[in-house]
């Protein structure tokens, strides 16, 4: 399916751009205008990607014509486990070494045990939350597929609506409206717990399954663009009021990010159906390597920021060049790792 390849390729590029911009303003003190420009640009260009990847997972795995059995689930889960025990452990080890050296302490064998502990508890590099979440999303989808066989497609649609309302809409509005101030409960801001990551993944996967029978129409366009306008408007308002960008409105656990992602997927499929998209060699390459690109690219983002100060380059050109270099290095590394026993099957 050409539209799936295009979505994977564009999604991988969106995530690289997101981490390039976010890592840049986290690593360096940028003027407020440039920092918030990054944040607002990321909303339309990047924030749809993670929900869309979960949606594509649901679209492909919840296909009733190809039942999702527990054997397939075990295969998918084992792949994620191996990714965590290889790439996750390596990243955690590098982080512990860097923190130890920056603290002026000597390296010892203790850093190995710390790295292992961090990996097993999900405290490796932040972007790997997606891999940890998939460990639980896959079994949940198998259970949902079994329920659908018993209850039927209509019940599946009602279940999806319930999940969107209870696990995305209510928590999003709760955080945006600061209702925690009234009840004394304050969830983490910007770094949702693994439980909410799993909730988001399962819900978006169910939405992806629903998109199988949906087509882009004025109602879906209004909903998607309305979600985008809400994310942009609330974020701009938060910046203007001095509260920051109110990131709960656009993170992957937000109902607005889900609505916008669903619109993007429907739009790409509509373009494919209308104009018969043909994946170019580059699109096919990035689509095939999208998971490896996701896992590997932060290594190059952080390495480049350690030796290069983007503030010394021309704005816009600096970010564009940074993005292109990270994308090229990630594709090349993924292709090379495919030649390595064990690692090749993971990326």
């Amino acid at each position: 399916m050409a539209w799936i390849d295009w979505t994977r390729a564009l999604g991988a590029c969106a995530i690289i751009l997101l981490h390039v911009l976010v890592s840049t303003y986290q690593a360096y003190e940028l003027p407020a205008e440039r920092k918030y420009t990054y944040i607002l640009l990321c909303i339309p260009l990047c924030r749809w990607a993670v929900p869309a990847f979960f949606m594509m997972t649901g679209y492909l795995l919840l296909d009733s014509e190809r039942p999702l059995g527990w054997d397939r689930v075990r295969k998918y889960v084992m792949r994620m486990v191996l990714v965590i025990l290889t790439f996750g452990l390596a990243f955690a080890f590098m982080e512990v070494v860097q923190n130890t050296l920056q603290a002026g302490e000597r390296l010892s064998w203790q850093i190995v045990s710390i790295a292992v502990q961090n990996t097993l508890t999900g405290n490796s590099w932040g972007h790997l939350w997606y891999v940890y979440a998939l460990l639980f999303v896959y079994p949940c989808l198998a259970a949902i597929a079994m329920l659908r066989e018993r209850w039927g497609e209509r019940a599946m649609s009602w279940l999806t609506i319930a999940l969107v309302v209870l696990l995305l809409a209510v928590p999003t509005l709760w955080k945006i409206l600061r209702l925690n101030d009234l009840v004394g409960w304050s969830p983490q801001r910007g770094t949702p717990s693994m439980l909410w990551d799993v909730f988001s993944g399962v819900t978006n996967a169910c939405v992806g399954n629903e998109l199988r029978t949906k087509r882009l129409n004025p109602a879906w366009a209004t909903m998607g663009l309305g979600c985008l306008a809400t994310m942009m408007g609330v974020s701009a308002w938060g910046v203007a009021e001095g509260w920051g960008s109110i990131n709960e409105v656009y993170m992957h656990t937000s109902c607005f990010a889900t609505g916008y992602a669903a619109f993007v997927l429907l739009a790409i499929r509509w373009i494919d159906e209308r104009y018969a998209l043909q994946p170019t060699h580059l699109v096919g390459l990035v689509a095939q390597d999208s998971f490896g690109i996701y896992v590997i690219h932060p290594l190059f983002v952080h390495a480049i920021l350690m030796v290069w100060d983007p503030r010394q380059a021309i704005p816009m050109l600096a970010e564009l060049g940074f993005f292109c270099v990270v994308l090229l290095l990630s594709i090349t590394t993924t292709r090379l790792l495919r030649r390595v026993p064990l690692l090749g099957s993971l990326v």
Side-chain angles (χ1 to χ4, degrees), residues 153-164:
E153 291 293 343
R154 185 178 182 86
M156 180 70 181
S157 297
W158 283 109
L159 173 62
T160 300
I161 293 172
L163 291 176
V164 170

Side-chain angles (χ1 to χ4, degrees), residues 70-304:
W70 289 103
D71 288 338
R72 287 177 66 194
V73 169
R74 281 192 292 268
K75 176 183 175 183
Y76 296 142
V77 169
M78 184 55 63
R79 183 189 181 195
M80 296 303 106
V81 169
L82 292 176
V83 169
I84 291 170
L85 294 180
T86 52
F87 293 100
L89 181 59
F91 290 158
F93 180 78
M94 286 187 284
E95 185 174 40
V96 175
V97 169
Q98 183 183 24
N99 291 341
T100 301
L101 294 177
Q102 287 181 342
E105 301 174 0
R106 296 180 60 183
L107 297 178
S108 67
W109 286 106
Q110 187 180 7
I111 65 174
V112 177
S113 63
I114 296 175
V116 171
Q117 180 181 353
N118 287 347
T119 303
L120 296 178
T121 56
N123 290 318
S124 187
W125 286 18
H127 76 294
L128 290 179
W129 70 263
Y130 178 77
V131 178
Y132 286 94
L134 284 175
L135 288 174
F136 303 95
V137 170
Y138 288 136
C140 288
L141 293 186
I144 288 173
M146 293 175 61
L147 292 176
R148 180 181 60 185
E149 291 179 5
R150 177 176 299 180
W151 296 343
E153 291 293 343
R154 185 178 182 86
M156 180 70 181
S157 297
W158 283 109
L159 173 62
T160 300
I161 293 172
L163 291 176
V164 170
V165 172
L166 296 176
L167 301 184
L168 295 182
V170 170
T172 298
L173 296 177
W174 182 289
K175 296 173 186 176
I176 293 174
L177 297 175
R178 299 298 196 269
L179 296 181
N180 51 282
D181 294 337
L182 300 179
V183 299
W185 175 66
S186 180
Q188 284 184 300
R189 295 193 57 197
T191 54
S193 68
M194 188 179 297
L195 183 63
W196 289 106
D197 293 336
V198 174
F199 287 165
S200 169
V202 171
T203 303
N204 280 295
C206 289
V207 171
N209 175 65
E210 289 297 311
L211 295 181
R212 192 187 316 280
T213 59
K214 303 298 187 294
R215 291 295 181 269
L216 185 65
N217 57 38
W220 279 99
T222 301
M223 180 274 299
L225 295 176
C227 287
L228 174 60
T230 300
M231 292 188 291
M232 295 287 288
V234 171
S235 296
W237 172 66
V239 170
E241 293 292 330
W243 297 340
S245 59
I246 310 182
N247 57 8
E248 294 89 351
V249 74
Y250 56 72
M251 293 294 287
H252 61 275
T253 52
S254 165
C255 60
F256 300 110
T258 291
Y260 179 49
F263 162 72
V264 171
L265 261 65
L266 290 174
I268 295 174
R269 189 172 64 181
W270 178 83
I271 293 172
D272 181 29
E273 293 171 347
R274 190 176 181 87
Y275 299 105
L277 289 175
Q278 296 297 323
T280 64
H281 178 69
L282 179 60
V283 169
L285 200 66
V286 176
Q288 183 179 354
D289 296 341
S290 59
F291 183 72
I293 290 171
Y294 180 87
V295 171
I296 295 166
H297 78 275
L299 177 64
F300 299 114
V301 173
H302 293 310
I304 291 173

